[in-house]
Amino acid sequence: MKHSCQPDQNLPNFYLALQQDSSIVGTYALLRNDLISCQDLFPWLVCLYVAPEFRGNSFGATLI
């Protein structure tokens, strides 16, 4: 995650959806690759997570 905060780095990137009180609603990441055999396919959406209390409200779809 520290690497993704550098302005000259494209990937990986990590994202958080926060409430106004800064509690986490959901998260996801974009990676350069996920499969060694598919280096030409990128970016990869990974680590999609929505906190249980927010599920069923389209937050996952919004993050995607």
Side-chain angles (χ1 to χ4, degrees):
M1 289 180 81
K2 187 174 183 179
H3 168 80
S4 72
C5 295
Q6 303 301 317
D8 60 338
Q9 302 297 322
N10 292 332
L11 296 173
N13 286 328
F14 296 84
Y15 300 91
L16 296 172
L18 304 173
Q19 291 194 93
Q20 288 183 343
D21 67 358
S22 297
S23 60
I24 296 173
V25 173
T27 183
Y28 73 96
L30 294 175
L31 301 181
R32 171 78 175 117
N33 57 42
D34 193 36
L35 297 173
I36 293 173
S37 62
C38 297
Q39 295 290 312
D40 59 324
L41 302 175
F42 65 93
W44 288 81
L45 179 102
V46 298
C47 304
L48 177 65
Y49 174 80
V50 175
E53 61 270 26
F54 297 105
R55 293 178 186 169
N57 295 303
S58 300
F59 286 113
T62 299
L63 289 170
I64 289 173

